[in-house]
Amino acid sequence: KSGLDPGGAWHAWGMACLKAGNLSSAREKFNRCLKPPMDLNQMSHGSRLVQDVIQYLESTVKPILIADDDYFATLRELEATLRTRSLSLEMMCEGKIQHNSYYQECLFYLHSYGTNLAIISFYMRHDCMREALLHLLNKESPSEVFIEGIFVPSYESGKLHMLENLLETIDPGLESWGVYLIAACKYLQRKNYYHILYELQQFMKDHVRAAMTCIRFFTHGAKSYTELGGKQTWLLKIKDHLKVYLQEVSRSSGRKKMAFTFRKKMSATDVSRHINTVDLQMEVTKFLHRCESSGTSQMTGSSLPTLFGNNNMKMDVACKVMLEGKNIEEGFGIAFRVLQDFQLEATEVYSKVAKQLVKQQKYSEIRQLLKCVNESGVAAKNDGDNIILSCLNEFKNIPAEDLDNLIQDMDSDENKIQAYVMCNKLRSAYLVSVRQEKTRAVQLVQHVRQLAESTGDDVVKAICTQWL
């Protein structure tokens, strides 16, 4: 008469019936105020009213086993149990839930008015993981429901292995779980739970992704190659994963293609290339670890370069290897392989090393670097000259004798003249210029005379004028 919403009254009446143990009457009352959710896959446990009902029923479980102790059951409970038994619970849990009318009642309300997440969470609360998984599959629930309802509760309660065993039991190939497992991996990565991620990837036999996680374990947080030296087992694990992947690919190519739909794929060529990278990184790690231990290490940088980074980082590795040995020659072989394997810009790396050697005042080492570059067999004609030219910007810091030695090591007279001009050694530039073929010599000497005039070097200007 007053036009008020009767839902609250029906709910209160239903709760009163529940408390009185009158389960069938409670159902009838609740039927008038509870509604099924619009979206069964929404990320909630359903309406507050349904949650109140479930909470009450779970807290008031009576130890009544219908199978054995029928004479303890009231007729009303027995009637309710028989009715709920006819629900579509083809995947009922063995044990107490199956035999207790109050749990059966929970399932009735959950299936009638609850979300998939609420049903799955109920099964998980009562150790019915298998039923939770089957419900997830049957309803084709989204991966968010799997993560919140099953995956997170499993690893938080230390039951990840139990979950993995059940996933494998239900589908030995794991294909039906692919979407859920990939979503779980992404979730763990976002949370930075890399150890659980690695364990899950191994279970999934997703060897390529497992190898990528091992790379992170190897590189993350390391401040020196001494630290990396202690983490070399991760490099071995990367190789193991990649080799197993190669074996599986070659086995599956012989017969009908295996459906690796959710596992990361990679061509055999790429896998072999990555295995080579790991081998080379092991050599680099051993070498630099030894250098750091023996105290020959000089370079300190904010980030530690490895061969798992981009090309700039790989170039930094090549520089580091050359500069940290007892001399250039000791590390040149490994550095040269890094440059060759990754097809890096060799001259750029050599020039970087030469500049660093100027800063360290190791001028004889620059000459040794040039010797190594020339003997490598792949140096272009002007590579050595370009390396010297690149470090002459610092000529003011280089002692005169060392500077002369470096310039005289150049192959091309044109480059020598350019070097002398850069270092304001105009007299030396003049002496090399006049040795050239007549027409070219005239051009070069004229250029030197102009420079002498602009810098106020009257002596060189007079010599040039006289020659011309």
Side-chain angles (χ1 to χ4, degrees):
K1 284 180 180 178
S2 58
L4 296 171
D5 176 22
W10 285 118
H11 188 260
W13 196 351
M15 288 302 285
C17 291
L18 274 189
K19 287 169 186 173
N22 191 341
L23 302 181
S24 52
S25 288
R27 284 190 187 189
E28 187 193 327
K29 308 298 179 280
F30 285 129
N31 189 39
R32 295 172 182 271
C33 62
L34 298 179
K35 290 182 178 62
M38 297 290 284
D39 175 15
L40 289 173
N41 286 322
Q42 65 191 48
M43 295 305 293
S44 79
H45 288 263
S47 71
R48 184 69 257 171
L49 300 180
V50 178
Q51 289 179 56
D52 288 345
V53 173
I54 302 302
Q55 210 172 336
Y56 174 76
L57 285 167
E58 282 185 301
S59 64
T60 326
V61 173
K62 298 188 178 180
I64 294 169
L65 297 176
I66 301 302
D68 306 321
D69 305 333
D70 283 12
Y71 46 88
F72 276 46
T74 63
L75 284 170
R76 221 180 274 116
E77 281 180 322
L78 196 53
E79 180 194 351
T81 306
L82 291 170
R83 196 169 301 158
T84 46
R85 270 295 175 72
S86 63
L87 282 170
S88 59
L89 301 177
E90 69 281 358
M91 45 207 188
M92 263 318 296
C93 213
E94 289 301 318
K96 59 183 180 179
I97 295 189
Q98 193 169 15
H99 297 309
N100 194 293
S101 58
Y102 276 72
Y103 279 111
Q104 296 282 10
E105 208 62 17
C106 284
L107 286 168
F108 166 78
Y109 287 107
L110 286 168
H111 280 281
S112 304
Y113 310 110
T115 60
N116 285 326
L117 180 61
I119 297 167
I120 284 167
S121 299
F122 174 81
Y123 282 133
M124 291 295 287
R125 276 199 303 278
H126 300 291
D127 296 326
C128 294
M129 194 186 283
R130 179 185 169 81
E131 285 63 31
L133 288 168
L134 289 172
H135 184 85
L136 180 88
L137 266 192
N138 290 346
K139 301 295 178 188
E140 296 180 350
S141 293
S143 45
E144 292 81 6
V145 173
F146 169 73
I147 288 167
E148 192 174 320
I150 299 175
F151 185 70
V152 174
S154 294
Y155 77 70
E156 283 183 348
S157 59
K159 291 180 181 171
L160 191 56
H161 284 300
M162 184 179 167
L163 171 63
E164 290 172 353
N165 290 338
L166 279 169
L167 292 174
E168 212 162 24
T169 307
I170 295 167
D171 177 3
L174 299 179
E175 288 304 321
S176 46
W177 304 115
V179 177
Y180 299 117
L181 289 169
I182 293 295
C185 289
K186 286 178 181 171
Y187 168 83
L188 293 169
Q189 204 165 356
R190 278 199 307 276
K191 290 279 188 180
N192 288 332
Y193 294 164
Y194 283 94
H195 288 280
I196 304 174
L197 173 66
Y198 182 51
E199 189 182 327
L200 189 63
Q201 286 167 337
Q202 289 179 92
F203 161 72
M204 291 159 64
K205 296 183 174 59
D206 195 347
H207 294 292
V208 175
R209 287 194 180 97
M212 289 158 78
T213 305
C214 290
I215 290 173
R216 189 192 182 276
F217 284 134
F218 175 71
T219 55
H220 186 69
K223 297 282 188 291
S224 70
Y225 262 88
T226 306
E227 278 181 56
L228 287 183
K231 297 167 92 176
Q232 287 185 75
T233 46
W234 288 114
L235 293 176
L236 295 171
K237 285 183 178 178
I238 298 168
K239 270 183 78 170
D240 289 344
H241 284 300
L242 294 175
K243 282 177 177 173
V244 172
Y245 177 79
L246 272 183
Q247 286 166 5
E248 287 185 356
V249 169
S250 61
R251 270 205 305 268
S252 65
S253 62
R255 53 177 193 269
K256 188 163 65 77
K257 286 282 178 193
M258 289 168 76
F260 286 139
T261 46
F262 65 91
R263 297 175 181 94
K264 189 167 179 66
K265 293 187 182 68
M266 194 178 273
S267 71
T269 319
D270 283 347
V271 174
S272 301
R273 199 161 42 78
H274 286 306
I275 291 174
N276 288 340
T277 302
V278 174
D279 286 334
L280 198 47
Q281 180 63 54
M282 285 179 93
E283 273 195 66
V284 168
T285 306
K286 283 172 187 165
F287 178 78
L288 291 175
H289 182 199
R290 196 170 68 242
C291 294
E292 286 181 6
S293 305
S294 63
T296 58
S297 173
Q298 306 236 345
M299 284 180 81
T300 49
S302 52
S303 65
L304 196 64
T306 69
L307 298 178
F308 300 118
N310 58 20
N311 277 359
N312 286 338
M313 192 184 267
K314 290 178 180 116
M315 288 162 89
D316 288 345
V317 171
C319 291
K320 196 172 172 67
V321 168
M322 280 191 266
L323 290 165
E324 295 212 359
K326 290 197 292 287
N327 51 44
I328 288 292
E329 202 169 354
E330 192 188 17
F332 188 82
I334 297 174
F336 182 70
R337 276 179 54 203
V338 170
L339 297 175
Q340 290 292 296
D341 281 13
F342 299 106
Q343 298 179 336
L344 302 173
E345 194 54 60
T347 316
E348 194 182 325
V349 173
Y350 298 143
S351 300
K352 213 172 174 181
V353 171
K355 286 175 186 171
Q356 200 66 34
L357 290 170
V358 169
K359 281 184 186 168
Q360 295 173 11
Q361 299 181 343
K362 293 181 176 177
Y363 307 110
S364 60
E365 291 287 295
I366 298 175
R367 300 178 80 179
Q368 193 179 32
L369 171 66
L370 295 172
K371 179 171 171 281
C372 289
V373 171
N374 289 329
E375 288 172 358
S376 70
V378 293
K381 189 184 172 192
N382 277 331
D383 276 1
D385 289 6
N386 290 334
I387 292 165
I388 294 171
L389 285 170
S390 73
C391 58
L392 289 184
N393 294 327
E394 307 290 324
F395 75 90
K396 291 187 179 113
N397 305 326
I398 303 175
E401 189 184 342
D402 291 304
L403 191 58
D404 276 340
N405 287 339
L406 282 175
I407 295 174
Q408 279 163 26
D409 279 345
M410 287 180 153
D411 294 325
S412 148
D413 280 350
E414 294 271 346
N415 287 334
K416 282 181 186 174
I417 295 164
Q418 189 186 339
Y420 282 130
V421 167
M422 275 175 76
C423 302
N424 293 332
K425 289 178 170 285
L426 297 181
R427 185 185 177 85
S428 301
Y430 161 77
L431 290 172
V432 180
S433 297
V434 294
R435 293 207 303 267
Q436 308 309 305
E437 180 268 321
K438 206 50 145 229
T439 319
R440 183 65 184 140
V442 170
Q443 291 173 341
L444 291 168
V445 173
Q446 282 175 335
H447 179 57
V448 172
R449 184 175 68 171
Q450 281 175 345
L451 289 170
E453 200 172 348
S454 61
T455 54
D457 190 337
D458 293 336
V459 178
V460 174
K461 182 187 168 188
I463 296 170
C464 291
T465 307
Q466 189 180 354
W467 185 87
L468 288 165

